[in-house]
Amino acid sequence: MATTKVAPFQATAVDSIPITVNTLKTTFRSQRTKPIEYRLTQLRKLYWGIVDNEAALVEACKLDLGKPTFETYISEIDWLKNDIIFTTGKLAGWMKDEKPEDIPLTNKLLSPRIRKDPLGTVLVIGAYNFPLQLSLGPMIGAIAAGCACVLKPSEVSPAAAMVMKKVVEESLDSSAYAVVNGGVPETTALLNEKWDKIFYTGSANVGTIIAKKAAETLTPVVLELGGRNPAIVTKHADPRLAARRLLWAKSHNAGQVCISQNYIMVEKDILPAFIAELKVAIKEFYPNGTKTSPDFARIVNNRHFHRIKKMLDESRGKILLGGEVDEAENYIDITVVQVNDIKDSMIVDESFGPLMPLLAVDDVEEAIRIANTVHSTPLGLYPFGTKAETDKILNEVISGGASVNDGFFHGAIPTLPFGGVGDSGQGAYRGRASFETFTHRRSVTKTPGWMEKLLDVRYPPYNGKLAKVRKTSELKPNFDRSGKQIKGIKYWLGLIFALGGESSTGTFVRWAFTALLAVGAKKYIETGNLPFLK
């Protein structure tokens, strides 16, 4: 394992950025990044670059965020290593041409297929809270897709940015992959370049700026933003499980997690029990308190410390647990506050910190109304209760993702597509979705020369040809003018022969089961015994 020394932060020279971008574009146009062996080699080298710099990466996350070593490994280093191994194992299959579905028989003569082409030269702008995962994670997808890529880590986590620069420059092809470090001037210079896609993780305010800039050149973007994510605990939920799981979601990385709950609505009948279980869980997780615990992170910097503290200071709620702060360490304790108004400072803004506002509600219907009022398209949703209750909440509250009876578990599955909806983001990545987000699915057909006679119908003059075209291509509706389905002979024949199956697999299973019953019935009639029961 390499040295733990972390170089001091140094911004990339602004005037070098256009040269770097042009180099990467030239490399992409040379076709160098497209072959599968090249992609696999780069991914494998990145894996070993991470392994060789593990100690420095752990130290960087400690310097930037006070991040516990355990959290750095499970949510940063090991996450990335596993992502690379998973991707290299699946890449050949992902890259294969696909046969499109629902192609009419006559059009199959043109051999329609879907190619997987890399988008080109892309820009990845990372975030500070998970500085490794949210920077190198999308980059892994870009490499797998065959793109050239510039990575711009967040300057708010400067130590991690410098170690990632070292990893990329020592491990990857410098003509195809680069790291640009810096703040607003460097990011502005990057955005002034023409990209084939921009992938951004961070705040909605900056995401809006990036989207506007990208729109000037019609550049597609992926925006991984945040939201005022609601948790809803009904009176039928298990208060112990809800307390432990939501406490974990707000203690991990000191609450600096875009998908953790921003506030918790609790039905009044269960609120006392939920608060009591929170007290028990906090004591269990941190027997000597969070401040002296090696398992509790710090707020990333003084500016964000004061932003979170201001929310706490301006709240009209009652502090039930925690409340301790220490500016010298950028430390804010897990703080549970009971609020009475959705306009409270603890709910109006995304805390992105270890604050846990509780809002008592009369019933599930009130909780749903509040969730849709506070933020109509949050990044995450966390309902606790019966299946009927959680299904109702999932049906009536839109969100980027959801974890039922848990805190952001959907965001902890590395192969499950992750992304927002509405103003909490657009696009998704992770697992195969990371490959696909940097890939263009290009539809391709190949028309053989012998088909020219068949194609004559499409050429002018058109006189008398419309009826011929309609005879082979026009579809007849199976519904009437009121929108009701017409259940004619075709419908009933389909229902009978499919035995109610909605797919070919379902139909096959039903026919197989029917055949088995028929064989059994015949055997029983002949012998009085069922062959399956011998």
Side-chain angles (χ1 to χ4, degrees):
M1 190 175 289
T3 176
T4 59
K5 184 178 180 181
V6 177
F9 185 76
Q10 183 176 1
T12 302
V14 172
D15 58 5
S16 72
I17 291 174
I19 299 171
T20 298
V21 176
N22 185 61
T23 298
L24 268 60
K25 288 183 176 181
T26 300
T27 299
F28 178 77
R29 286 193 295 268
S30 74
Q31 312 303 311
R32 182 172 180 173
T33 64
K34 292 183 179 181
I36 185 171
E37 282 307 320
Y38 177 88
R39 306 184 198 188
L40 291 173
T41 297
Q42 297 304 306
L43 289 169
R44 292 162 180 163
K45 286 184 174 181
L46 180 58
Y47 177 93
W48 290 114
I50 293 170
V51 170
D52 292 342
N53 289 276
E54 280 186 10
L57 291 168
V58 169
E59 179 65 16
C61 289
K62 183 73 70 177
L63 290 171
D64 289 334
L65 291 145
K67 185 170 289 197
T69 300
F70 175 83
E71 292 185 10
T72 298
Y73 272 105
I74 65 166
S75 64
E76 305 268 18
I77 295 172
D78 288 357
W79 179 290
L80 292 169
K81 288 160 58 180
N82 289 341
D83 192 17
I84 291 172
I85 292 172
F86 174 78
T87 299
T88 55
K90 296 287 186 177
L91 186 55
W94 296 345
M95 289 175 62
K96 287 181 179 177
D97 289 357
E98 284 184 20
K99 290 185 178 180
E101 298 179 351
D102 303 321
I103 302 297
L105 180 61
T106 53
N107 290 335
K108 287 186 177 181
L109 298 173
L110 282 75
S111 304
R113 59 195 172 97
I114 300 172
R115 280 175 55 99
K116 315 294 182 57
D117 291 339
L119 286 177
T121 303
V122 301
L123 172 63
V124 172
I125 304 176
Y128 71 79
N129 54 324
F130 292 90
L132 311 181
Q133 182 198 139
L134 301 183
S135 298
L136 294 175
M139 192 178 195
I140 289 169
I143 296 170
C147 296
C149 178
V150 169
L151 170 62
K152 165 60 180 68
S154 173
E155 72 279 11
V156 180
S157 288
M162 290 305 292
V163 179
M164 282 189 285
K165 182 177 177 66
K166 178 177 183 290
V167 169
V168 169
E169 290 181 349
E170 292 180 352
S171 306
L172 301 182
D173 179 355
S174 61
S175 71
Y177 311 104
V179 173
V180 170
N181 276 330
V184 174
E186 292 75 18
T187 304
T188 301
L190 285 168
L191 293 175
N192 284 333
E193 298 293 324
K194 177 66 177 79
W195 301 94
D196 295 301
K197 194 162 200 175
I198 298 174
F199 190 112
Y200 169 75
T201 305
S203 71
N205 289 336
V206 177
T208 301
I209 294 170
I210 289 171
K212 286 181 178 179
K213 187 65 178 177
E216 294 177 4
T217 53
L218 298 179
T219 299
V221 295
V222 172
L223 300 176
E224 297 290 348
L225 309 177
R228 287 156 286 168
N229 310 316
I232 299 173
V233 182
T234 77
K235 62 185 177 183
H236 298 113
D238 183 326
R240 178 177 178 273
L241 290 183
R244 289 170 60 84
R245 293 173 182 182
L246 291 174
L247 176 62
W248 165 78
K250 266 300 177 183
S251 61
H252 187 82
N253 203 31
Q256 297 166 107
V257 184
C258 60
I259 51 172
S260 65
Q261 76 278 357
N262 200 58
Y263 63 106
I264 306 170
M265 290 179 281
V266 187
E267 282 199 66
K268 292 175 181 177
D269 292 349
I270 202 174
L271 182 59
F274 180 73
I275 294 171
E277 292 294 349
L278 277 176
K279 293 177 180 178
V280 172
I282 289 175
K283 188 65 177 176
E284 180 183 339
F285 290 4
Y286 305 101
N288 299 313
T290 57
K291 190 172 186 181
T292 58
S293 173
D295 301 327
F296 191 75
R298 295 297 184 263
I299 305 305
V300 69
N301 60 24
N302 191 253
R303 179 172 68 86
H304 283 284
F305 168 86
H306 281 287
R307 176 186 59 78
I308 298 169
K309 183 176 181 298
K310 185 172 182 286
M311 292 179 63
L312 185 57
D313 292 341
E314 292 181 351
S315 174
R316 296 182 298 277
K318 178 183 178 182
I319 295 179
L320 304 179
L321 296 167
E324 182 184 356
V325 300
D326 185 345
E327 183 176 358
E329 295 186 17
N330 288 331
Y331 163 79
I332 297 179
D333 194 7
I334 297 173
T335 303
V336 180
V337 181
Q338 186 170 349
V339 300
N340 300 305
D341 186 355
I342 64 172
K343 295 182 179 179
D344 192 277
S345 60
M346 300 276 280
I347 294 181
V348 169
D349 295 315
E350 181 182 1
S351 68
F352 216 66
L355 306 182
M356 296 183 68
L358 308 181
L359 179 64
V361 294
D362 291 327
D363 49 37
V364 172
E365 286 73 19
E366 183 185 11
I368 290 172
R369 287 196 301 272
I370 291 173
N372 287 327
T373 300
V374 171
H375 190 176
S376 60
T377 55
L379 185 59
L381 171 66
Y382 309 103
F384 290 75
T386 65
K387 184 180 186 303
E389 290 169 333
T390 57
D391 284 350
K392 178 179 177 63
I393 295 168
L394 286 173
N395 187 55
E396 299 184 25
V397 179
I398 296 171
S399 66
S403 294
V404 176
N405 293 326
D406 209 345
F408 72 79
F409 207 127
H410 72 281
I413 300 176
T415 55
L416 187 66
F418 174 85
V421 62
D423 60 0
S424 64
Q426 61 187 61
Y429 74 119
R430 292 187 178 168
R432 180 168 186 159
S434 291
F435 168 82
E436 291 179 343
T437 200
F438 293 105
T439 297
H440 171 56
R441 295 171 59 85
R442 180 155 58 148
S443 297
V444 179
T445 60
K446 184 177 181 180
T447 308
W450 60 263
M451 284 189 66
E452 188 62 16
K453 185 64 177 177
L454 298 176
L455 298 175
D456 183 68
V457 71
R458 73 184 183 181
Y459 301 131
Y462 297 135
N463 186 38
K465 292 183 177 180
L466 182 57
K468 292 181 180 180
V469 172
R470 283 181 165 175
K471 185 178 290 186
T472 58
S473 65
E474 188 177 24
L475 300 178
K476 304 296 183 183
N478 65 342
F479 49 86
D480 61 22
R481 290 180 177 274
S482 65
K484 294 180 180 179
Q485 184 177 8
I486 299 172
K487 297 181 179 180
I489 186 66
K490 185 177 180 181
Y491 169 85
W492 292 110
L493 286 175
L495 188 67
I496 292 169
F497 285 106
L499 297 179
E502 296 181 357
S503 65
S504 57
T505 301
T507 300
F508 175 78
V509 170
R510 284 170 169 78
W511 272 108
F513 183 68
T514 302
L516 190 63
L517 287 178
V519 170
K522 182 175 183 295
K523 188 71 173 178
Y524 182 75
I525 291 171
E526 293 174 348
T527 66
N529 295 312
L530 286 175
F532 332 114
L533 301 179
K534 287 184 178 180

